[in-house]
Amino acid sequence: MKTGKFIYKCTDCDREYSSSEIRYFCPSCSKGNNTAAPPGGVLKTLYDYDLIRKSISGFEELKQNCFCKLMPLEDMRSLPPLRVGNTPLYTVGELNGEKLPVSIHLKDDSQNPTWSYKDRASAIVSAYAAENNLGTIVTASTGNAGSSMAGICASHRQKAVIIVPEAVRLTRLTQIIICGATVVPITGTYDDAFDLSVKATEEFGWYNRNTAFNPLTIEGKKTASFELFEQLRFQIPDRIFIPAGDGVIASGIYKGFEELLLLNLIDRMPVIVIVQSDKSDNLIRNLDLNTFMIRSSSTIADSISVDRPRNFYMTRQYIRKYDGEAITVSDEDIMKAAKMLAINTGIFAEPAAAAAFAGLLSYRESERLSAGSSNVVLLTGSGLKDLRSVTTALKTPSAVDPTIKNLEKLLK
Ligand SMILES: [Zn+2]
């Protein structure tokens, strides 16, 4: 491994490791990992913040060369050629014709190359692999991570091996296969796919992209914080609503803002609101429990349907440190929010992303958004990724004879 500009710190025991020493979990804290609880030993990537602070005069200088100083890469030209990140932020002034007393900003990450937030992580993983001569990248996936890795690897001429539980829907596999990745469906669950990918990493020397297992996934996911700060004209939003499954996006957003704080570029943190479906709430439900209790997940928001949140301990640390908030919403609310979002903005979000919007709507209904506040919703993926869950909730009109009379009838 070449790079020495960053180190790893274990989330659980605080031990620090050189980045040439290990690549994945903290060896001592991951020893007892089992399927009954989230994994211990997830690493955080740290840079020399004192040195960076002294070397920059402000945000503009930090931004130069794609925030290179805060990236685990030697050269930002190692990044894949597709445009990842720099997604639009839209401001919504009214909903259903009603003027809003608060600002709502939508960060539309469906505009990434494979239509999801996962591309931010895949791009960093792909670039790191290129710099370290790791020709094959493997990941366990239930959909978005796999299609993202497949697309990013195709653009970078790298090999991708995607291990999926056999229950993964065909629509999700299509995107992986069309990009030329090797798909390995296995009998079993995401956990089994995860375990096989780790064994393959050990056996074949492949680079492993698994969320949270590979600490650099968080480095990719933090980049939206920098963009938000700039897009909001260097103001910190009051709240950011984030859909949560494993907790990696929330941790990434926290880490991005925390780094700006460490560099004295901001003086307060936004309040992060993590949003889960009440049918997959293992992260939120366990926040205050001493022993982790898994409840089987079955939400329509399948990209946040998670039994063992892989980044649970880090996310919980951040929530406690920065007074984060959490809310669960029903699947019915998620579908309503998806429709409301589409009708009002033209953005067709995947159910997981709509969950974050449902969280905001719930805050609004219970008058928890103070007048004049600035609120961001992270829209993490496109609704076109998985039409099945949506089509069942929509009424499609039947065909009629092409007459004006029938047209008038339909318009009513
Ligand atoms: Zn440790």
Side-chain angles (χ1 to χ4, degrees):
M1 243 177 282
K2 290 181 217 159
T3 183
K5 71 191 269 199
F6 62 97
I7 59 160
Y8 294 123
K9 186 176 181 178
C10 174
T11 307
D12 303 309
C13 72
D14 281 346
R15 199 181 143 186
E16 294 183 349
Y17 297 92
S18 117
S19 54
S20 58
E21 214 175 334
I22 51 170
R23 275 196 180 124
Y24 306 109
F25 285 157
C26 164
S28 60
C29 293
S30 59
K31 260 184 207 144
N33 284 351
N34 59 62
T35 53
V42 175
L43 301 173
K44 205 189 247 189
T45 309
L46 300 178
Y47 306 84
D48 189 340
Y49 299 105
D50 288 336
L51 189 75
I52 299 171
R53 195 186 311 115
K54 284 175 200 149
S55 72
I56 57 164
S57 58
F59 185 82
E60 278 306 315
E61 221 175 317
L62 182 70
K63 192 190 159 191
Q64 273 172 20
N65 202 8
C66 308
F67 299 95
C68 179
K69 289 178 196 292
L70 291 175
M71 288 296 152
L73 302 172
E74 288 288 298
D75 187 337
M76 299 311 276
R77 284 173 297 188
S78 310
L79 284 167
L82 293 174
R83 189 221 61 189
V84 175
N86 290 317
T87 54
L89 184 74
Y90 301 117
T91 299
V92 180
E94 56 181 68
L95 283 177
N96 293 350
E98 192 189 322
K99 281 242 177 312
L100 297 170
V102 299
S103 303
I104 296 177
H105 309 283
L106 306 172
K107 181 74 170 156
D108 184 11
D109 256 58
S110 70
Q111 299 300 305
N112 277 305
T114 76
W115 308 350
S116 90
Y117 201 92
K118 308 270 180 185
D119 288 340
R120 293 178 183 270
S122 299
I124 299 296
V125 166
S126 167
Y128 179 88
E131 288 190 353
N132 291 276
N133 299 316
L134 300 157
T136 301
I137 302 175
V138 62
T139 192
S141 173
T142 55
N144 279 351
S147 41
S148 170
M149 202 67 253
I152 298 292
C153 278
S155 81
H156 221 183
R157 313 305 304 146
Q158 290 165 319
K159 278 187 193 149
V161 179
I162 316 297
I163 305 176
V164 298
E166 63 181 337
V168 166
R169 292 175 192 173
L170 189 66
T171 45
R172 295 203 178 260
L173 293 184
T174 308
Q175 206 180 358
I176 300 173
I177 295 167
I178 197 87
C179 289
T182 304
V183 178
V184 185
I186 55 139
T187 52
T189 63
Y190 175 78
D191 280 319
D192 300 315
F194 189 100
D195 290 344
L196 181 60
S197 78
V198 173
K199 280 181 199 148
T201 297
E202 288 162 1
E203 188 75 21
F204 308 127
W206 295 345
Y207 191 41
N208 195 307
R209 183 220 181 271
N210 286 353
T211 282
F213 180 60
N214 183 330
L216 303 190
T217 52
I218 295 167
E219 296 310 284
K221 294 190 176 187
K222 77 182 181 188
T223 53
S225 303
F226 306 151
E227 293 170 23
L228 280 172
F229 181 53
E230 189 176 22
Q231 287 171 316
L232 292 168
R233 297 184 186 161
F234 310 108
Q235 300 295 313
I236 301 298
D238 294 296
R239 283 196 175 87
I240 305 178
F241 292 81
I242 301 176
D246 282 307
V248 180
I249 296 180
S251 287
I253 295 293
Y254 267 125
K255 187 168 191 281
F257 280 105
E258 187 178 58
E259 288 182 337
L260 296 179
L261 198 67
L262 287 167
L263 298 175
N264 292 340
L265 295 171
I266 60 175
D267 56 11
R268 72 178 174 99
M269 292 286 283
V271 172
I272 304 288
V273 184
I274 57 167
V275 186
Q276 292 200 290
S277 161
D278 59 11
K279 286 187 177 161
S280 175
D281 62 348
N282 285 300
L283 204 162
I284 292 176
R285 199 167 25 78
N286 281 284
L287 283 174
D288 297 320
L289 297 183
N290 290 327
T291 308
F292 198 90
M293 298 281 290
I294 292 177
R295 199 164 70 190
S296 171
S297 302
S298 66
T299 166
I300 51 159
D302 61 358
S303 44
I304 51 167
S305 185
V306 170
D307 287 348
R308 270 172 81 211
R310 304 277 157 175
N311 208 35
F312 175 74
Y313 298 108
M314 190 188 289
T315 308
R316 186 172 69 176
Q317 267 182 17
Y318 275 126
I319 289 173
R320 287 180 176 171
K321 188 171 178 188
Y322 295 115
D323 294 325
E325 297 174 0
I327 184 172
T328 55
V329 291
S330 68
D331 277 10
E332 204 186 349
D333 288 341
I334 291 174
M335 285 319 302
K336 272 190 208 156
K339 211 171 166 187
M340 185 158 176
L341 184 69
I343 286 171
N344 281 277
T345 68
I347 298 173
F348 177 22
E350 68 171 356
F357 190 61
L360 173 125
L361 294 178
S362 173
Y363 263 59
R364 182 176 167 234
E365 263 162 39
S366 54
E367 298 179 354
R368 291 181 73 183
L369 303 178
S370 45
S373 64
S374 161
N375 304 277
V376 172
V377 181
L378 224 53
L379 300 177
T380 46
S382 165
L384 291 171
K385 286 238 160 202
D386 180 13
L387 287 170
R388 207 176 69 166
S389 52
V390 187
T391 39
T392 50
L394 294 178
K395 243 208 242 148
T396 318
S398 314
V400 293
D401 290 333
T403 64
I404 285 292
K405 215 171 157 191
N406 281 331
L407 181 59
E408 280 173 339
K409 221 191 269 174
L410 266 179
L411 289 175
K412 273 179 206 158

